Amino acid sequence: GIQVEQSPPDLILQEGANSTLRCNFSDSVNNLQWFHQNPWGQLINLFYIPSGTKQNGRLSATTVATERYSLLYISSSQTTDSGVYFCAVRSNDYKLSFGAGTTVTVRA
Amino acid sequence: GAVVSQHPSRVICKSGTSVKIECRSLDFQATTMFWYRQFPKQSLMLMATSNEGSKATYEQGVEKDKFLINHASLTLSTLTVTSAHPEDSSFYICSAREVSRSYNEQFFGPGTRLTVL
């Protein structure tokens, strides 16, 4: 199956800082999603982004499918941004393969 | 839109009992739903793919007789953990694929935390 690697595994930010999370994948994909898992375990859809760039408020994402990576940008981080960010990809079937996640801690 | 619910959110049971978890797509039809489990500080691992009106497809290493999946309608899938043991304690999450959209984004339920004593 597809291998998904996320970096860094942990990230500690001061409130107001910007950051970049990376997701590398081992094969071509039909779907790539970014999620934020909050402290209660709920996975929140951030982006559906198999290619190109999207922005939603302080968050934006870019996927370069030909080079097999995606980046998630968090700008002006807030304490509510804390949690685990997952990248998940899908190839020819409908199954999503998840990366190990990046744990983000934003300090006030 | 695209809301998925799970019930119960938390369950504690005795070893040897069976537990049923429901997953519902509230505002869309889902011919395919997925069941994941997540251990503390780990990522999500796909257990099985649930297709409406047909048998579920289980991932390698997942016991189909242990984790019974039923997808009786376009908005409901259930996971039954049979004869639960402490090692089955985990966070179980379902997702649903919205087929009406031109792409195949998955939406996740809030999860069910199972503790087996």
Side-chain angles (χ1 to χ4, degrees):
Chain A
I2 294 180
Q3 304 301 310
V4 183
E5 293 184 357
Q6 290 186 244
S7 60
D10 298 281
L11 191 58
I12 299 176
L13 301 170
Q14 200 63 35
E15 196 169 31
N18 302 327
S19 64
T20 301
L21 283 60
R22 187 177 180 101
C23 172
N24 292 331
F25 42 96
S26 60
D27 205 345
S28 58
V29 297
N30 294 324
N31 172 12
L32 187 144
Q33 292 184 243
W34 282 98
F35 300 93
H36 175 214
Q37 188 170 39
N38 66 21
W40 297 272
Q42 171 77 63
L43 277 162
I44 299 165
N45 289 41
L46 298 178
F47 295 101
Y48 173 92
I49 186 166
S51 64
T53 297
K54 290 185 178 179
Q55 180 157 6
N56 184 3
R58 295 181 296 102
L59 302 181
S60 63
T62 295
T63 297
V64 184
T66 53
E67 297 187 21
R68 300 179 183 170
Y69 73 89
S70 182
L71 302 173
L72 177 69
Y73 306 96
I74 305 174
S75 65
S76 303
S77 58
Q78 299 177 0
T79 56
T80 52
D81 295 330
S82 296
V84 183
Y85 290 79
F86 287 106
C87 165
V89 302
R90 177 181 74 84
S91 59
N92 293 326
D93 56 28
Y94 295 118
K95 303 176 188 178
L96 283 179
S97 296
F98 279 77
T102 293
T103 300
V104 173
T105 303
V106 181
R107 294 180 173 165
Chain B
V3 178
V4 178
S5 70
Q6 274 185 248
H7 178 80
S9 58
R10 184 181 297 267
V11 58
I12 300 172
C13 69
K14 293 182 179 180
S15 186
T17 61
S18 294
V19 175
K20 180 185 283 188
I21 302 169
E22 291 186 350
C23 176
R24 294 182 185 273
S25 56
L26 297 185
D27 52 1
F28 66 99
Q29 293 186 332
T31 57
T32 306
M33 291 184 172
F34 304 87
W35 288 94
Y36 298 81
R37 65 190 297 182
Q38 184 181 30
F39 292 107
K41 308 266 184 215
Q42 294 188 22
S43 187
L44 281 74
M45 295 299 295
L46 180 65
M47 298 175 64
T49 302
S50 168
N51 295 298
E52 187 265 336
S54 65
K55 291 184 178 180
T57 304
Y58 291 82
E59 294 301 298
Q60 191 172 6
V62 177
E63 299 175 58
K64 62 180 181 180
D65 295 331
K66 174 89 174 153
F67 299 99
L68 301 180
I69 291 172
N70 183 273
H71 193 154
S73 76
L74 288 173
T75 58
L76 173 65
S77 176
T78 60
L79 168 68
T80 302
V81 183
T82 63
S83 187
H85 289 95
E87 58 266 29
D88 298 323
S89 298
S90 188
F91 191 53
Y92 292 87
I93 311 173
C94 72
S95 74
R97 183 174 68 91
E98 186 176 3
V99 296
S100 62
R101 298 191 180 197
S102 60
Y103 50 92
N104 295 299
E105 187 172 0
Q106 284 189 31
F107 296 89
F108 285 75
T112 297
R113 196 164 300 280
L114 171 63
T115 302
V116 185
L117 302 177

